[in-house]
Amino acid sequence: MAVLWWSFNLAILTNPALSQTSIAVSKKEKPTSKPTLAPNLSPLPSTFNSENPPPESYSPAEFNYDDSKQFKVYRLNTGDGVNISVPKFSEFNTITNLDEEGNVVIPILGRIALAGLSLTEAEQKISYELGTRFIQLQPEVLVSLTTPRPANVTVLGEVLKPGFYSFVSGSPLTSALLAAGGTTNDADLRSIIVRRPLIDGSVLEEKIDFYTPLINSQSFPNFYLQGGDTIIVSQLEVGKDRNYDRSLIAQTTLSQQTINVRVLVPSNTGTAFRNLVLPNGSTFIDAIASLPPDDNLLVDNQVALLRFDPEKGGIVTQTLNTKEVIHGNIAQNIPLRNEDVIVVSRTLLGKIYNAFNVITQPIRSFFGFRAFFDSFLD
């Protein structure tokens, strides 16, 4: 019964979308409601390039600023500058930095390891050492952070430029997303995984939800970066995107700001292409407006759009009617995504499909999709 109910909901609630429509190469066939996959394509591997990404079936605890106390604690490490003060015994006072091994040198007391400790724990440790070795009673000790170390973090997953980035310690999580070029159109902002390693080898891990605050016009969770953090932006899973507003996300500063769209048109010398750089969230009519007025796209009555769909594990196509779009047909004015290819002329589309049949290696990713058209144009 559950399967039947799910199938009924899927049939009734699913909106017409690019991934649900297709065209055939034959001139006589009409568009169908199912996607057409290019030949020799296999499912796309996971987008996470971390050695230990979170399994799809596992979801860490939701981040709550009031409850997630461990993530609010600043823990000392190499490069931190601290001011150590012992009010009644000024001979132990010092301003110093944690060395490469995470130690500080305190006058008279000597070398003390503070890496991995909070400021309170550092105060307790120094007080204990003084009380055990030099003073009969454990004295009051004050440790303050004078110069926090840079927050060197790794950003992975559905961002435009995954990699290693450096920030001022205490920077908000949004800084990491923006530095990585913003999230892709396949990112799930409801599931941003943050991992923070501790000195004992354990790892703190929680999930941050940025999507719900955006929908409800609320502020983002107060999460701040520390050195060693790993941020993984999850991929939007199949079946979990029904109520997920991609168009809204595309218009925010969290998403990548521009998309690249190619337009292939027949020419006297073979095939010409236009490389369009459009604002994220642009639609088909925006692409039309970006082309020269005398371009063939405005003359031809019908064109096709090709897109690599990671959910389908292949390339899907949809026919578009330029004249209907210009006359206000909203159904034809579809939102564009990064690396979309608009093909003018069914003859040219047929050549592309023939080229798909020739290649021996299946197209597994956006990079393979782009590389194919680079070689096709050559």
Side-chain angles (χ1 to χ4, degrees), residues 105 147 324 340 359:
V105 177
T147 309
E324 289 187 11
D340 279 351
I359 61 175

Side-chain angles (χ1 to χ4, degrees), residues 33-91:
S33 59
K34 295 182 180 180
T36 299
L37 295 182
N40 300 324
L41 297 179
S42 59
L44 180 70
S46 172
T47 57
F48 295 131
N49 55 0
S50 169
E51 295 182 357
N52 185 28
E56 292 184 358
S57 59
Y58 168 69
S59 180
E62 290 280 357
F63 176 79
N64 184 295
Y65 189 74
D66 294 327
D67 298 334
S68 304
K69 297 180 180 179
Q70 288 297 322
F71 269 95
K72 293 189 293 183
V73 175
Y74 187 89
R75 299 192 174 276
L76 298 170
N77 212 325
T78 299
D80 280 326
V82 293
N83 182 2
I84 301 172
S85 174
V86 186
K88 295 183 179 181
F89 304 92
S90 60
E91 61 270 25

Side-chain angles (χ1 to χ4, degrees), residues 139-157:
E140 178 186 10
V141 177
L142 302 175
V143 178
S144 59
L145 188 66
T146 58
T147 309
R149 67 187 184 278
N152 298 319
V153 304
T154 303
V155 186
L156 303 174

